[in-house]
């Protein structure tokens, strides 16, 4: 399945992220509700939390590439 961004819930932004920063996203899918997956996520820059919360993704069949 291909996850497509569908929304944000309970997101808290803790610090600004500027051009040149390396943003690391840690994502853990927590539940599935009728084709919508909910995931807890935490974004860090140099080990410092930049944002954390929950995102929603709609699950779609991945396109098949013929070679």
């Amino acid at each position: 399945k291909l996850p497509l961004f569908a929304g944000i819930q309970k997101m808290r932004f803790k610090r600004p992220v500027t051009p040149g920063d390396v943003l690391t996203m840690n994502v853990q899918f927590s539940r599935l509700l009728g084709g919508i997956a909910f995931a807890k996520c935490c974004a860090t820059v140099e080990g410092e939390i930049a944002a954390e919360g929950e995102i929603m993704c709609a699950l779609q069949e991945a396109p098949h590439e013929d070679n």
Side-chain angles (χ1 to χ4, degrees):
K1 300 271 182 181
L2 179 67
L4 303 172
F5 179 75
I8 298 175
Q9 290 185 333
K10 304 175 192 168
M11 186 63 70
R12 297 289 179 250
F13 297 93
K14 310 272 185 175
R15 62 157 283 187
V17 178
T18 58
D21 286 345
V22 176
L23 183 73
T24 302
M25 293 284 296
N26 294 307
V27 180
Q28 181 178 8
F29 286 95
S30 55
R31 65 185 193 269
L32 181 63
L33 185 61
I36 300 290
F38 294 83
K40 294 179 181 178
C41 61
C42 181
T44 59
V45 175
E46 295 181 1
E48 186 179 343
I49 296 175
E52 58 186 343
E54 189 174 74
I55 59 173
M56 296 175 289
C57 298
L59 300 178
Q60 177 181 340
E61 289 296 326
H64 296 283
E65 293 185 26
D66 294 328
N67 293 342

Coordinates of all heavy atoms in Angstrom, one line a residue:
K1 N 0.8 -1.2 0.0 CA 0.0 0.0 0.0 C 0.9 1.3 0.0 O 2.0 1.3 0.6 CB -0.9 0.0 1.2 CG -1.9 -1.1 1.4 CD -3.1 -0.8 0.7 CE -4.1 -2.0 0.8 NZ -5.3 -1.8 0.2
L2 N 0.3 2.3 -0.6 CA 1.0 3.6 -0.6 C 0.3 4.6 0.3 O -0.9 4.8 0.1 CB 1.0 4.1 -2.1 CG 1.6 5.5 -2.3 CD1 3.1 5.4 -2.1 CD2 1.3 5.9 -3.8
P3 N 1.0 5.1 1.3 CA 0.3 6.0 2.3 C 0.3 7.4 1.6 O 1.4 7.9 1.2 CB 1.2 6.0 3.5 CG 2.5 5.5 3.1 CD 2.3 4.7 1.8
L4 N -0.8 8.1 1.6 CA -0.9 9.4 1.1 C -1.3 10.3 2.3 O -2.3 10.0 3.0 CB -2.0 9.5 0.0 CG -1.8 8.6 -1.2 CD1 -3.0 8.6 -2.1 CD2 -0.6 9.0 -1.9
F5 N -0.6 11.4 2.5 CA -0.9 12.4 3.6 C -2.4 12.8 3.6 O -2.9 13.2 2.5 CB 0.0 13.6 3.5 CG -0.2 14.6 4.6 CD1 0.2 14.3 5.9 CD2 -0.9 15.7 4.3 CE1 -0.1 15.2 6.9 CE2 -1.1 16.7 5.3 CZ -0.7 16.4 6.6
A6 N -3.1 12.7 4.7 CA -4.5 13.1 4.8 C -4.8 14.1 5.8 O -5.8 14.8 5.8 CB -5.3 11.8 5.1
G7 N -3.9 14.3 6.8 CA -4.1 15.3 7.8 C -3.2 15.2 9.0 O -2.4 14.3 9.2
I8 N -3.4 16.2 9.9 CA -2.6 16.3 11.2 C -3.6 16.4 12.3 O -4.5 17.2 12.2 CB -1.7 17.5 11.1 CG1 -0.7 17.4 10.0 CG2 -1.0 17.7 12.5 CD1 0.2 18.7 9.9
Q9 N -3.3 15.8 13.4 CA -4.0 15.9 14.7 C -3.0 16.1 15.8 O -1.9 15.5 15.8 CB -4.9 14.7 15.0 CG -6.0 14.5 14.0 CD -6.9 13.4 14.5 OE1 -6.5 12.4 15.1 NE2 -8.2 13.5 14.1
K10 N -3.4 16.8 16.8 CA -2.6 16.9 18.1 C -1.1 17.2 17.8 O -0.2 16.7 18.5 CB -2.7 15.6 18.9 CG -4.1 15.2 19.2 CD -4.2 13.9 19.9 CE -5.6 13.4 19.9 NZ -5.7 12.0 20.3
M11 N -0.8 18.0 16.8 CA 0.6 18.3 16.5 C 1.1 19.5 17.3 O 0.3 20.5 17.4 CB 0.7 18.6 15.0 CG 2.2 18.8 14.5 SD 3.2 17.3 14.7 CE 2.5 16.2 13.5
R12 N 2.2 19.4 17.9 CA 2.9 20.5 18.6 C 4.2 20.8 18.0 O 5.0 19.9 17.8 CB 3.1 20.1 20.1 CG 1.8 19.9 20.8 CD 1.0 21.2 21.1 NE -0.2 20.9 21.7 CZ -1.4 21.0 21.2 NH1 -1.5 21.4 19.9 NH2 -2.5 20.8 21.9
F13 N 4.4 22.1 17.6 CA 5.6 22.5 17.0 C 6.5 23.1 18.1 O 6.1 24.1 18.8 CB 5.4 23.5 15.9 CG 4.6 22.8 14.8 CD1 3.2 22.9 14.7 CD2 5.3 22.1 13.8 CE1 2.5 22.2 13.7 CE2 4.6 21.4 12.8 CZ 3.2 21.5 12.7
K14 N 7.7 22.6 18.4 CA 8.5 23.0 19.5 C 9.6 24.0 19.2 O 10.0 24.7 20.0 CB 9.1 21.8 20.2 CG 8.2 20.6 20.4 CD 7.6 20.8 21.8 CE 6.7 19.5 22.1 NZ 6.2 19.5 23.4
R15 N 10.1 23.9 17.9 CA 11.2 24.8 17.5 C 11.1 25.0 16.0 O 10.7 24.2 15.3 CB 12.5 24.3 18.0 CG 12.9 22.9 17.3 CD 14.3 22.7 17.3 NE 14.9 23.5 16.2 CZ 16.2 23.3 15.8 NH1 17.0 22.5 16.4 NH2 16.6 24.0 14.8
P16 N 11.7 26.1 15.5 CA 11.7 26.3 14.1 C 12.7 25.4 13.4 O 13.7 25.0 14.0 CB 12.1 27.8 13.9 CG 12.5 28.3 15.2 CD 12.2 27.3 16.3
V17 N 12.4 25.0 12.2 CA 13.4 24.3 11.3 C 13.7 25.2 10.2 O 12.8 25.7 9.5 CB 12.7 23.0 10.8 CG1 13.7 22.2 9.9 CG2 12.3 22.1 12.0
T18 N 15.0 25.4 10.0 CA 15.4 26.3 8.9 C 16.1 25.6 7.8 O 16.6 24.5 8.0 CB 16.4 27.4 9.6 OG1 17.5 26.7 10.2 CG2 15.7 28.2 10.7
P19 N 16.2 26.2 6.6 CA 17.0 25.6 5.5 C 18.4 25.2 6.0 O 19.1 26.0 6.7 CB 17.0 26.7 4.5 CG 15.8 27.6 4.8 CD 15.7 27.6 6.3
G20 N 18.8 24.0 5.6 CA 20.1 23.5 5.9 C 20.0 22.5 7.1 O 20.9 21.7 7.3
D21 N 18.9 22.6 7.9 CA 18.7 21.6 9.0 C 18.4 20.3 8.5 O 17.8 20.1 7.4 CB 17.6 22.1 9.9 CG 17.9 23.2 10.8 OD1 19.1 23.6 11.0 OD2 16.9 23.8 11.4
V22 N 18.9 19.2 9.2 CA 18.5 17.8 8.8 C 17.4 17.4 9.7 O 17.6 17.3 10.9 CB 19.8 16.9 8.9 CG1 19.4 15.5 8.6 CG2 20.9 17.4 8.0
L23 N 16.2 17.2 9.1 CA 15.1 16.8 9.9 C 14.9 15.3 9.9 O 14.9 14.7 8.8 CB 13.8 17.5 9.3 CG 12.5 17.2 10.0 CD1 12.5 18.0 11.3 CD2 11.3 17.6 9.1
T24 N 14.9 14.7 11.0 CA 14.7 13.2 11.1 C 13.3 13.0 11.6 O 12.9 13.5 12.7 CB 15.7 12.6 12.1 OG1 17.0 13.0 11.6 CG2 15.6 11.1 12.2
M25 N 12.5 12.1 10.9 CA 11.2 11.8 11.3 C 11.1 10.4 11.8 O 11.5 9.5 11.1 CB 10.2 11.9 10.1 CG 10.0 13.3 9.5 SD 8.9 14.3 10.6 CE 7.4 13.4 10.4
N26 N 10.6 10.2 13.0 CA 10.3 8.9 13.5 C 8.8 8.7 13.5 O 8.1 9.5 14.1 CB 10.9 8.7 14.9 CG 12.4 8.8 15.0 OD1 13.1 8.1 14.2 ND2 12.9 9.7 15.7
V27 N 8.4 7.6 12.8 CA 6.9 7.4 12.7 C 6.6 6.0 13.1 O 7.2 5.0 12.7 CB 6.5 7.6 11.2 CG1 5.0 7.4 11.0 CG2 6.9 9.0 10.7
Q28 N 5.5 5.9 13.9 CA 5.0 4.6 14.3 C 3.5 4.6 14.1 O 2.8 5.3 14.7 CB 5.3 4.4 15.8 CG 4.9 3.0 16.3 CD 5.2 2.8 17.8 OE1 5.7 3.7 18.5 NE2 5.0 1.6 18.3
F29 N 3.1 3.7 13.2 CA 1.7 3.5 12.9 C 1.0 2.9 14.1 O 1.4 1.9 14.7 CB 1.4 2.7 11.7 CG 1.7 3.4 10.4 CD1 3.0 3.3 9.8 CD2 0.8 4.3 9.8 CE1 3.3 4.0 8.7 CE2 1.1 5.0 8.7 CZ 2.4 4.9 8.1
S30 N -0.1 3.6 14.6 CA -0.8 3.2 15.8 C -2.1 2.5 15.6 O -2.5 1.6 16.4 CB -0.9 4.4 16.8 OG -1.6 5.4 16.1
R31 N -2.8 2.9 14.6 CA -4.1 2.2 14.3 C -4.6 2.4 12.9 O -4.1 3.3 12.2 CB -5.2 2.7 15.3 CG -5.6 4.2 15.2 CD -6.5 4.5 16.3 NE -7.2 5.8 16.1 CZ -6.7 7.0 16.5 NH1 -5.5 7.0 17.2 NH2 -7.3 8.1 16.3
L32 N -5.5 1.6 12.5 CA -6.1 1.6 11.1 C -7.6 1.7 11.3 O -8.2 0.9 12.0 CB -5.7 0.4 10.4 CG -6.1 0.3 8.9 CD1 -5.5 1.4 8.1 CD2 -5.7 -1.1 8.3
L33 N -8.2 2.6 10.6 CA -9.7 2.8 10.7 C -10.2 3.0 9.3 O -10.2 4.1 8.8 CB -10.0 4.0 11.6 CG -11.4 4.3 11.9 CD1 -12.0 3.1 12.7 CD2 -11.5 5.6 12.8
G34 N -10.7 1.9 8.7 CA -11.3 1.9 7.4 C -10.5 2.6 6.3 O -11.0 3.4 5.6
G35 N -9.3 2.2 6.1 CA -8.5 2.8 5.0 C -7.7 4.0 5.4 O -7.0 4.5 4.6
I36 N -7.9 4.5 6.6 CA -7.1 5.6 7.1 C -6.2 5.1 8.2 O -6.7 4.5 9.2 CB -8.0 6.8 7.7 CG1 -8.9 7.3 6.6 CG2 -7.1 7.9 8.3 CD1 -8.3 8.1 5.5
A37 N -4.9 5.3 8.1 CA -3.9 4.9 9.1 C -3.5 6.1 9.9 O -3.3 7.2 9.4 CB -2.7 4.3 8.4
F38 N -3.4 5.9 11.2 CA -3.0 7.0 12.1 C -1.6 6.6 12.6 O -1.3 5.5 12.9 CB -4.0 7.0 13.3 CG -5.3 7.5 12.9 CD1 -6.3 6.6 12.4 CD2 -5.7 8.8 13.0 CE1 -7.5 7.0 12.1 CE2 -7.0 9.3 12.7 CZ -7.9 8.4 12.2
A39 N -0.7 7.6 12.6 CA 0.6 7.4 13.0 C 1.1 8.4 14.0 O 0.8 9.6 13.8 CB 1.5 7.3 11.8
K40 N 1.8 8.0 15.1 CA 2.4 8.9 16.0 C 3.8 9.3 15.4 O 4.5 8.4 14.9 CB 2.6 8.3 17.4 CG 1.2 8.1 18.0 CD 1.4 7.4 19.4 CE 0.0 7.2 20.0 NZ 0.1 6.5 21.3
C41 N 4.1 10.6 15.4 CA 5.4 10.9 14.8 C 6.1 12.0 15.7 O 5.5 12.7 16.4 CB 5.2 11.5 13.4 SG 4.2 12.9 13.3
C42 N 7.4 12.0 15.5 CA 8.3 12.9 16.2 C 9.4 13.3 15.2 O 10.1 12.5 14.7 CB 8.9 12.2 17.5 SG 10.0 13.3 18.4
A43 N 9.5 14.6 15.1 CA 10.5 15.2 14.2 C 11.6 15.8 15.0 O 11.3 16.6 15.9 CB 9.9 16.2 13.2
T44 N 12.9 15.5 14.7 CA 14.0 16.0 15.5 C 15.0 16.7 14.6 O 15.1 16.3 13.4 CB 14.7 15.0 16.4 OG1 15.2 13.9 15.5 CG2 13.7 14.3 17.4
V45 N 15.7 17.6 15.1 CA 16.8 18.3 14.5 C 18.0 18.2 15.5 O 17.9 18.7 16.6 CB 16.6 19.7 14.1 CG1 17.8 20.4 13.5 CG2 15.4 19.8 13.1
E46 N 19.1 17.5 15.1 CA 20.2 17.3 16.0 C 19.8 16.8 17.3 O 20.3 17.3 18.4 CB 21.0 18.6 16.1 CG 21.6 19.1 14.7 CD 22.4 20.4 14.8 OE1 22.6 20.9 15.9 OE2 22.9 20.8 13.8
G47 N 18.9 15.9 17.4 CA 18.4 15.3 18.6 C 17.4 16.1 19.4 O 16.9 15.6 20.5
E48 N 17.1 17.3 19.0 CA 16.2 18.2 19.7 C 14.8 18.1 19.0 O 14.7 18.2 17.8 CB 16.6 19.6 19.7 CG 15.8 20.6 20.5 CD 16.3 22.0 20.4 OE1 17.5 22.2 20.0 OE2 15.5 22.9 20.7
I49 N 13.7 17.9 19.8 CA 12.4 17.7 19.2 C 12.0 19.0 18.6 O 12.0 20.1 19.2 CB 11.4 17.3 20.3 CG1 11.7 15.9 20.8 CG2 10.0 17.3 19.7 CD1 10.9 15.4 22.0
A50 N 11.6 18.9 17.3 CA 11.1 20.1 16.6 C 9.6 20.1 16.5 O 8.9 21.1 16.5 CB 11.7 20.1 15.2
A51 N 9.0 18.8 16.4 CA 7.5 18.7 16.4 C 7.2 17.3 16.8 O 7.9 16.3 16.5 CB 7.0 19.0 15.0
E52 N 6.0 17.1 17.3 CA 5.5 15.8 17.6 C 4.0 15.8 17.6 O 3.3 16.8 17.9 CB 6.0 15.2 19.0 CG 5.7 16.1 20.2 CD 6.4 15.5 21.4 OE1 6.9 14.4 21.4 OE2 6.5 16.3 22.4
G53 N 3.4 14.7 17.3 CA 1.9 14.6 17.2 C 1.5 13.4 16.4 O 2.2 12.4 16.4
E54 N 0.3 13.5 15.8 CA -0.3 12.4 15.0 C -0.6 12.9 13.6 O -1.1 13.9 13.4 CB -1.5 11.9 15.8 CG -2.1 10.7 15.2 CD -3.2 10.1 16.1 OE1 -4.3 10.7 16.0 OE2 -3.0 9.1 16.8
I55 N -0.3 12.0 12.6 CA -0.6 12.3 11.3 C -1.6 11.2 10.8 O -1.6 10.1 11.3 CB 0.6 12.4 10.3 CG1 1.4 11.1 10.4 CG2 1.5 13.6 10.7 CD1 2.5 11.0 9.3
M56 N -2.4 11.5 9.8 CA -3.3 10.6 9.2 C -2.9 10.4 7.7 O -2.5 11.3 7.0 CB -4.7 11.1 9.2 CG -5.3 11.3 10.6 SD -6.9 12.1 10.6 CE -6.5 13.7 10.1
C57 N -3.0 9.1 7.3 CA -2.6 8.8 5.9 C -3.7 7.9 5.3 O -4.2 7.0 6.0 CB -1.3 7.9 5.8 SG 0.1 8.8 6.4
A58 N -4.1 8.2 4.1 CA -5.1 7.4 3.3 C -4.2 6.3 2.6 O -3.2 6.6 2.1 CB -5.8 8.2 2.3
L59 N -4.6 5.1 2.7 CA -3.9 4.0 2.1 C -4.5 3.7 0.7 O -5.7 3.5 0.6 CB -3.9 2.7 3.0 CG -3.3 2.9 4.4 CD1 -3.4 1.6 5.2 CD2 -1.8 3.3 4.2
Q60 N -3.6 3.6 -0.3 CA -4.0 3.4 -1.7 C -3.1 2.3 -2.2 O -1.9 2.2 -1.8 CB -3.8 4.7 -2.5 CG -4.1 4.6 -3.9 CD -3.9 5.9 -4.7 OE1 -3.8 7.0 -4.1 NE2 -3.7 5.8 -5.9
E61 N -3.6 1.6 -3.2 CA -2.8 0.6 -3.9 C -1.6 1.3 -4.6 O -1.8 2.3 -5.3 CB -3.6 -0.2 -4.9 CG -4.6 -1.2 -4.2 CD -3.9 -2.3 -3.4 OE1 -2.8 -2.7 -3.8 OE2 -4.5 -2.6 -2.4
A62 N -0.4 0.7 -4.4 CA 0.7 1.3 -5.1 C 0.7 1.0 -6.6 O 0.3 -0.1 -7.0 CB 2.0 0.7 -4.5
P63 N 1.1 2.0 -7.4 CA 1.1 1.8 -8.9 C 2.1 0.7 -9.2 O 3.2 0.7 -8.6 CB 1.4 3.1 -9.5 CG 2.0 3.9 -8.4 CD 1.5 3.3 -7.1
H64 N 1.8 -0.1 -10.2 CA 2.8 -1.1 -10.6 C 3.5 -0.6 -11.9 O 2.9 -0.1 -12.8 CB 2.1 -2.4 -11.0 CG 1.4 -3.0 -9.8 ND1 2.1 -3.7 -8.8 CD2 0.1 -3.0 -9.4 CE1 1.3 -4.2 -7.9 NE2 0.1 -3.7 -8.2
E65 N 4.9 -0.7 -11.8 CA 5.7 -0.3 -13.0 C 6.0 -1.5 -13.8 O 6.5 -2.5 -13.3 CB 6.9 0.4 -12.5 CG 6.7 1.8 -11.8 CD 7.9 2.5 -11.5 OE1 9.0 2.3 -12.2 OE2 7.9 3.3 -10.6
D66 N 5.7 -1.4 -15.1 CA 6.1 -2.5 -16.0 C 7.4 -2.2 -16.6 O 7.6 -1.1 -17.1 CB 5.1 -2.7 -17.1 CG 3.7 -3.2 -16.5 OD1 3.8 -3.9 -15.5 OD2 2.7 -2.8 -17.1
N67 N 8.4 -3.1 -16.6 CA 9.7 -2.9 -17.1 C 9.8 -3.4 -18.5 O 9.4 -4.4 -19.0 CB 10.8 -3.5 -16.3 CG 10.9 -2.8 -14.9 OD1 10.4 -1.7 -14.8 ND2 11.5 -3.5 -14.0

